Amino acid sequence: MKNSWLAVLGCALPLLAAAQKPAVPVIRKNIPLDSIGLSDPFILADAKTHQYYMTGTGGMLWKSPDLKTWEGPYQVARPDPTSWMGPKPMIWAAEIHPFKGKYYYFATFTNRNIKIDTVQGSALERRASHVLVSNQPTGPYVPMGDATYLPANKSTLDGTFWIDKDGKPYLVYCHEWVQNQDGTVEKIELKPDLSGTLGTGQVLFKASAAPWSRENPRTGPARPNKVTDGPYLFRTKTGRLGMLWTSWVYDVYTQGVAYSRSGTLDGPWLQEAAPITPPNYGHGMLFRTFEGKLLMSLHSHKDIKGHYRRIPHLFEVDVSGDKLVLGQPYRP
């Protein structure tokens, strides 16, 4: 369990720092991608503005015309301070998705002052995936109809967006392992305008299903890791539905991929035997450049004397066959 707790602590440390940033960040210009410290980088290539917008953990936004140099960070999320999130929520793993003429901000919000559960003697803070909306990619992103997308007593994170073969929109998210002891990836239907959810969540798979995720317990032999992190959906050219997601191999942050046998979110989901990315890379997503090249955005994960350092990276990707094939690092 030690390595799993390292995963949680590693996620928490940069978020604590992000929460303590000044209300008005200092805007920097002409910053190379590898000079930006950012977890869970998500890049939107916006055709309307012909700009790339990058967000992630911390709730800030960077923009670039060419992926070479970036300007930011801009503060774009404006959740309701009177809601369960409180006046200064932590913001994790933000994503921006265009849908029906608007832009939707899928993110995890944490209110450290509200405790929702106690598991093995540890109190769990209120943390949940939620969706904000804006008329433009640069925000501001504000609340919609429903104050709560997922149950208040359920610790969820890393929500992403997917429209399945039934034409319905879905929120795909993780139920955190610190609460259920074997992290899951789940889905729940969204309202047609994404302003809330419908029905209840459905488990797609558990962390322990992946043959590549491993941890060393205090006693006994190595066993499957229990962390689920960063789901992201994609289709190959053959129409196969795949999902990127991240866990750990002992103390190494690692990303794998699963494929749906049915071609829908309902699965069943078949886990690839080996990770898809190099060691200490994870929480990836896919986007196409304005020139049509498919890229993966993800972050490297390095422990430097007890302090985690995360840097965004880009890799070339090929999905022209039946599986995702990771290529070389991309240098814009």
Side-chain angles (χ1 to χ4, degrees):
M1 297 297 289
K2 177 181 178 182
N3 295 310
S4 297
W5 281 112
L6 285 174
V8 174
L9 290 173
C11 291
L13 290 173
L15 299 172
L16 287 170
Q20 295 169 356
K21 288 181 178 180
V24 180
V26 176
I27 304 302
R28 298 182 291 157
K29 297 183 178 182
N30 299 317
I31 306 300
L33 186 65
D34 59 7
S35 296
I36 298 173
L38 181 67
S39 300
D40 317 324
F42 184 99
I43 296 177
L44 167 67
D46 185 56
K48 289 184 179 180
T49 59
H50 207 74
Q51 290 277 316
Y52 297 100
Y53 299 97
M54 179 172 66
T55 187
T57 286
M60 300 298 181
L61 182 78
W62 293 80
K63 62 181 181 179
S64 170
D66 54 14
L67 298 175
K68 294 179 182 179
T69 59
W70 295 80
E71 177 181 311
Y74 294 93
Q75 192 169 15
V76 296
R78 293 185 184 173
D80 180 1
T82 66
S83 71
W84 67 264
M85 298 177 194
K88 294 182 179 180
M90 293 179 179
I91 303 177
W92 300 15
E95 302 184 358
I96 297 174
H97 294 273
F99 182 68
K100 295 184 177 180
K102 295 185 178 182
Y103 297 85
Y104 293 86
Y105 191 86
F106 285 66
T108 302
F109 297 88
T110 301
N111 186 338
R112 304 196 71 200
N113 294 321
I114 299 178
K115 310 304 179 185
I116 62 168
D117 199 358
T118 300
V119 179
Q120 296 184 352
S122 296
L124 302 184
E125 302 158 351
R126 185 161 183 186
R127 177 177 302 131
S129 297
H130 201 83
V131 185
L132 306 179
V133 67
S134 177
N135 290 321
Q136 54 191 8
T138 53
Y141 290 91
V142 298
M144 289 185 282
D146 287 5
T148 301
Y149 278 67
L150 294 162
N153 62 351
K154 190 172 183 178
S155 184
T156 60
L157 72 165
D158 293 357
T160 191
F161 181 50
W162 186 250
I163 299 175
D164 213 6
K165 283 187 174 181
D166 58 8
K168 297 177 181 179
Y170 289 89
L171 174 66
V172 177
Y173 59 93
C174 298
H175 183 191
E176 200 169 14
W177 76 273
V178 294
Q179 185 174 39
N180 64 15
Q181 300 302 293
D182 191 356
T184 55
V185 175
E186 305 182 3
K187 73 164 188 175
I188 190 169
E189 185 180 345
L190 287 161
K191 293 180 178 180
D193 63 357
L194 313 190
S195 64
T197 55
L198 300 169
T200 57
Q202 175 185 333
V203 174
L204 305 183
F205 61 82
K206 297 180 178 181
S208 58
W212 53 265
S213 70
R214 309 299 295 167
E215 71 177 15
N216 280 320
R218 293 188 180 93
T219 59
R223 63 191 183 192
N225 200 284
K226 302 304 193 300
V227 175
T228 48
D229 179 88
Y232 182 83
L233 284 302
F234 66 92
R235 285 199 188 275
T236 66
K237 191 174 182 180
T238 63
R240 196 178 190 193
L241 179 62
M243 184 192 300
L244 299 170
W245 67 284
T246 303
S247 189
W248 293 75
V249 177
Y250 304 121
D251 59 348
V252 177
Y253 193 63
T254 306
Q255 181 175 251
V257 64
Y259 293 97
S260 169
R261 180 177 291 172
S262 68
T264 72
L265 287 176
D266 289 331
W269 288 89
L270 308 177
Q271 304 290 335
E272 291 288 276
I276 195 69
T277 47
N280 283 315
Y281 285 81
H283 204 112
M285 57 81 60
L286 306 179
F287 72 99
R288 287 196 181 274
T289 68
F290 297 126
E291 295 72 36
K293 183 178 290 292
L294 186 64
L295 300 180
M296 179 185 292
S297 172
L298 74 174
H299 71 258
S300 59
H301 190 284
K302 188 175 183 180
D303 183 351
I304 304 174
K305 296 181 178 179
H307 297 280
Y308 279 92
R309 177 68 170 162
R310 294 176 174 87
I311 301 294
H313 298 269
L314 301 175
F315 280 82
E316 296 182 6
V317 174
D318 181 8
V319 293
S320 61
D322 203 37
K323 290 186 177 183
L324 183 151
V325 178
L326 191 70
Q328 297 298 314
Y330 177 73
R331 310 295 183 192

